[in-house]
Amino acid sequence: MEREGNDCVVREKSHLTLDDDEAPNLSSTLWLERVGEVILTFNQDGLTWKLMESLGNDDSICFGIKYVSKVATEIRISDIYAVELTDHDLVHISNLPHANEHLFVGHEKKMYRFTVHGFTRSKNQPSQLILVEYTFGHKNLQMCQMWVNQLNASLNLEVGRPRNLLVFVHPRSGKGTGCRTWETVAPIFSRAKVETKVIVTERAGQAFEVMSSITNKELNSYDGVVAVGGDGFFNEILNGFLSPRLKAPNPPTPSDFVHLVKDTGDSLVRDENETIAETSNDSEDQFPLVSTLEQSGSRISYSCSEDMDPEFPIPNERFRFGIIPAGSTDAIVICTTGARDPITSALQIVLGKRVHLDIAQVVRWKTTPMSEVEPYVRYAASFSGYGFYGDVITESEKYRWMGPKRYDYAGTMVFLRHRSYEAEIAYLDVQSDETNLTSKRNRQGSLLRALGAPHKPERYICRVNCIVCNEKPDVATTGVSDLTPHLYSEKRRWVKSKGRFLSVGAAVISCRNEKAPDGLVADAHLSDGFLHLILIRDCPHASYLWHLTQLTRRGGSPLNFKFVEHHKTPAFTFTSSGTESVWNLDGEIFQAHKLSAQVFRGLVCMFASGPEV
């Protein structure tokens, strides 16, 4: 409720009672701004208030303030982010219009106020949070102070709310509104008594350097890191955080990948006796299984690098990442909070929300066909794409002066060229119940298309308290090797797909955005331990346009085409047959002729709760 109208003073009245559970209930008669005289009650769940009958002749008017018939009557403690005593803005009774003097002892009594800051949900978009504030007034300062102390004591009991954050602001992100966006949400952090150390970056790579060089001792003094910018800026911060601290074996690879990486001793799955199934445009349903994967060192272990303080564990339940959207796409924010809204993101951060997020590890083995084998590790939180996606990000760099519109222009130019690329992809098929279900739906869709029948596959959308994302072991008790559980499925095999592709994409999450309301993969989850490998084979121009059109439609079926392959996998490899190979990693250019990738389930925690349905 916005601050409008005048405040009123009422008779002192308060009492403390105990309910059946022996929890204290505080009750007082106060004035609620823009509403009138109320009985305010505090209980273990939050605040409730009840409008008292008017003491004047007109039941609808009090001191010139008209009663509101439809107003909120409660707010939960979990929905309150701050309480402020506003005694600096006192109101004299003699200044109130139409004051009924017989209600007060003297005309110069001052009114003290305290404001409860919280949020409500948008009626049109449940994931979007809207700021509300309720200002209560009383003539006694001690009365207001008592309420403030009681509410603050309850807020201090809320688990997981941050107290100290490191904030990076990208001033040129998106439309160049990074600083203005931070100025908009900064008061929320201030009211919530969250200390923030703000770094406004001045050049590309600065956030990476700060995160990679900061000591673990200093990092432990923060409850998390907040990025004010887009997906690419968050990727920079994430890589700066993980690169010096996370040491894990390289992604698993099939046998014909071994000759490039066998000297490193880091690859997880390298079975010389395995059989690799190859697919062409017409994929078969049955493939040979990998004979065995029981090799020493096949279990993942995590540790800090030797030059880092080993007292910062990864994964870390306490330390979380937040994003205040100010980018061109903001897909990660939309997928984790459900809304592309700085206020919503700021509130979920100060309220200490938590959701786990999968992270993909991408290892580039060769930059070009003629280059030496030099493994280089990068991490991605949303998407890695080649072909069309790599061409768009490369083309868009020529038009940075256009702002976010450069992606639309670059996408149009790349689409008109309709370039396809020769490549070979191998992915680990783990044949879990969930992947079998996806493959079954895809096969059913192909059959129905052949029969000319309409088909819309059933989707299991990720949401708040998602059952799929929450079904994972506790890494604190079972070990961090469980971050890659699907690598050790009993039914596992390498499947190879080669040919000419318009694009190759690996989505960690659904990648919802304003251009694609359902994302690239509508039923992708935030933390299920799978990559969604999307292979778009060469096809007529009109067919590819229809696929892209389906992406822009809510409820569309962009994967329901014969030239589209969709595979859920924990790992894959890629080898280009061309001389140049450019990938798009979370909106950043990444050159890689040969690479391997795997996903770590729930590796990092985000200040978010997932999208509301």
Side-chain angles (χ1 to χ4, degrees):
M1 181 175 296
E2 298 179 355
R3 247 177 233 186
E4 293 180 4
N6 297 310
D7 293 294
C8 307
V9 183
V10 298
R11 303 178 306 276
E12 292 186 48
K13 181 181 177 182
S14 67
H15 60 273
L16 185 67
T17 62
L18 294 178
D19 60 17
D20 295 337
D21 297 328
E22 297 299 319
N25 283 353
L26 180 63
S27 181
S28 298
T29 303
L30 302 168
W31 273 97
L32 175 57
E33 189 178 75
R34 295 182 64 205
V35 175
E37 189 179 19
V38 298
I39 297 178
L40 180 64
T41 302
F42 168 84
N43 55 50
Q44 59 183 355
D45 295 325
L47 292 176
T48 61
W49 51 90
K50 181 179 180 182
L51 185 64
M52 296 183 65
E53 293 182 1
S54 172
L55 299 179
N57 295 326
D58 188 347
D59 291 339
S60 64
I61 302 292
C62 175
F63 302 159
I65 304 176
K66 191 171 184 178
Y67 285 127
V68 180
S69 59
K70 294 183 179 180
V71 294
T73 59
E74 63 180 357
I75 184 170
R76 296 179 299 175
I77 290 294
S78 58
D79 294 344
I80 300 174
Y81 73 90
V83 181
E84 289 183 305
L85 183 65
T86 53
D87 59 340
H88 62 279
D89 187 18
L90 304 182
V91 178
H92 292 267
I93 298 305
S94 59
N95 295 331
L96 290 177
H98 311 294
N100 291 331
E101 299 176 4
H102 68 274
L103 291 179
F104 311 103
V105 183
H107 299 285
E108 295 301 324
K109 292 291 185 180
K110 296 180 179 180
M111 184 187 64
Y112 298 85
R113 303 184 299 177
F114 65 94
T115 301
V116 177
H117 298 277
F119 72 87
T120 186
R121 296 192 179 277
S122 169
K123 295 180 180 179
N124 298 326
Q125 188 178 0
S127 292
Q128 184 173 345
L129 308 182
I130 300 174
L131 292 174
V132 294
E133 58 181 46
Y134 305 102
T135 299
F136 298 91
H138 199 278
K139 66 181 181 181
N140 187 285
L141 176 60
Q142 285 70 30
M143 174 69 72
C144 293
Q145 188 66 62
M146 177 187 65
W147 276 97
V148 171
N149 293 341
Q150 178 64 62
L151 290 172
N152 279 328
S154 297
L155 293 181
N156 290 335
L157 295 177
E158 291 290 294
V159 178
R161 297 198 177 189
R163 289 291 173 259
N164 199 358
L165 296 172
L166 179 60
V167 180
F168 291 93
V169 180
H170 192 319
R172 295 176 298 278
S173 186
K175 296 182 180 179
T177 60
C179 291
R180 290 203 303 271
T181 299
W182 172 246
E183 291 172 358
T184 300
V185 301
I188 296 176
F189 293 86
S190 177
R191 293 191 198 105
K193 297 181 175 59
V194 178
E195 295 185 9
T196 56
K197 178 180 179 180
V198 182
I199 300 176
V200 180
T201 58
E202 300 176 351
R203 52 184 171 78
Q206 181 180 350
F208 176 90
E209 294 172 2
V210 173
M211 286 300 298
S212 60
S213 61
I214 188 173
T215 65
N216 285 339
K217 181 178 180 180
E218 182 178 354
L219 204 59
N220 269 316
S221 67
Y222 299 105
D223 296 309
V225 175
V226 175
V228 184
D231 295 338
F233 190 50
F234 174 70
N235 179 275
E236 179 183 334
I237 294 171
L238 179 70
N239 276 271
F241 170 75
L242 291 175
S243 295
R245 295 176 176 87
L246 178 63
K247 186 174 179 60
N250 292 321
T253 58
S255 57
D256 58 352
F257 211 83
V258 174
H259 68 284
L260 287 176
V261 302
K262 62 183 179 180
D263 293 336
T264 68
D266 289 330
S267 191
L268 287 177
V269 183
R270 296 178 296 171
D271 189 281
E272 299 292 346
N273 299 318
E274 71 184 29
T275 302
I276 302 179
E278 295 189 9
T279 66
S280 60
N281 288 322
D282 299 320
S283 300
E284 298 293 334
D285 289 340
Q286 301 296 326
F287 302 100
L289 295 179
V290 177
S291 58
T292 178
L293 293 177
E294 301 301 327
Q295 297 177 316
S296 61
S298 64
R299 300 291 288 179
I300 294 181
S301 62
Y302 298 84
S303 63
C304 297
S305 58
E306 296 180 357
D307 59 340
M308 298 297 297
D309 184 346
E311 296 180 356
F312 196 95
I314 299 177
N316 194 313
E317 289 286 324
R318 179 190 67 86
F319 193 87
R320 283 156 287 175
F321 292 87
I323 307 176
I324 307 293
S328 301
T329 306
D330 298 316
I332 301 176
V333 164
I334 295 175
C335 290
T336 54
T337 70
R340 189 185 187 185
D341 176 52
I343 298 296
T344 299
S345 295
L347 284 171
Q348 294 208 4
I349 293 171
V350 300
L351 292 171
K353 300 297 183 180
R354 177 185 285 107
V355 69
H356 291 266
L357 184 66
D358 288 347
I359 298 297
Q361 179 200 47
V362 181
V363 180
R364 178 182 66 197
W365 296 99
K366 299 183 69 175
T367 306
T368 66
M370 304 305 296
S371 60
E372 297 293 329
V373 176
E374 296 180 356
Y376 175 69
V377 180
R378 285 281 299 274
Y379 299 95
S382 62
F383 179 76
S384 302
Y386 166 76
F388 177 82
Y389 303 107
D391 291 347
V392 169
I393 196 69
T394 302
E395 183 75 15
S396 67
E397 287 298 304
K398 304 175 184 177
Y399 310 101
R400 295 193 68 90
W401 55 270
M402 296 176 63
K405 293 183 179 179
R406 69 183 184 273
Y407 295 110
D408 295 333
Y409 180 78
T412 301
M413 298 297 293
V414 172
F415 169 77
L416 294 175
R417 294 172 191 162
H418 200 63
R419 295 180 60 183
S420 61
Y421 300 87
E422 186 78 26
E424 178 179 291
I425 299 94
Y427 62 92
L428 193 61
D429 185 358
V430 297
Q431 286 297 291
S432 68
D433 292 338
E434 194 172 358
T435 55
N436 281 331
L437 181 61
T438 301
S439 300
K440 182 179 179 180
R441 291 200 300 264
N442 288 341
R443 289 195 297 271
Q444 290 174 344
S446 299
L447 178 61
L448 289 172
R449 286 194 304 274
L451 298 175
H455 170 69
K456 281 196 174 183
E458 187 178 0
R459 294 170 175 174
Y460 301 90
I461 306 299
C462 191
R463 62 195 68 187
V464 174
N465 299 321
C466 178
I467 297 177
V468 174
C469 296
N470 289 338
E471 286 183 353
K472 60 177 178 293
D474 184 0
V475 296
T477 58
T478 60
V480 289
S481 58
D482 292 289
L483 294 175
T484 54
H486 303 301
L487 291 181
Y488 310 103
S489 170
E490 293 181 359
K491 296 181 180 181
R492 50 187 177 246
R493 60 194 176 180
W494 282 102
V495 181
K496 185 181 297 182
S497 185
K498 61 175 66 174
R500 295 197 67 84
F501 299 92
L502 290 171
S503 67
V504 176
V508 183
I509 56 180
S510 63
C511 300
R512 294 185 183 90
N513 58 77
E514 293 181 349
K515 300 293 184 182
D518 290 340
L520 298 177
V521 184
D523 53 357
H525 287 265
L526 297 177
S527 181
D528 63 355
F530 281 110
L531 292 169
H532 289 261
L533 188 62
I534 306 171
L535 310 180
I536 311 295
R537 292 188 177 273
D538 198 3
C539 65
H541 218 140
S543 298
Y544 190 48
L545 176 61
W546 185 236
H547 160 74
L548 295 177
T549 301
Q550 289 294 307
L551 283 173
T552 65
R553 294 181 177 179
R554 188 174 298 278
S557 302
L559 305 180
N560 204 21
F561 292 91
K562 186 176 181 180
F563 55 86
V564 177
E565 294 183 30
H566 172 212
H567 308 288
K568 292 180 68 172
T569 179
F572 74 94
T573 64
F574 167 88
T575 303
S576 172
S577 300
T579 57
E580 294 184 0
S581 179
V582 179
W583 281 71
N584 176 344
L585 261 64
D586 287 353
E588 298 297 314
I589 293 177
F590 184 66
Q591 293 187 343
H593 167 74
K594 196 175 190 73
L595 61 78
S596 59
Q598 66 178 332
V599 63
F600 298 139
R601 186 173 190 179
L603 182 63
V604 300
C605 288
M606 303 292 294
F607 282 113
S609 59
E612 295 280 350
V613 179

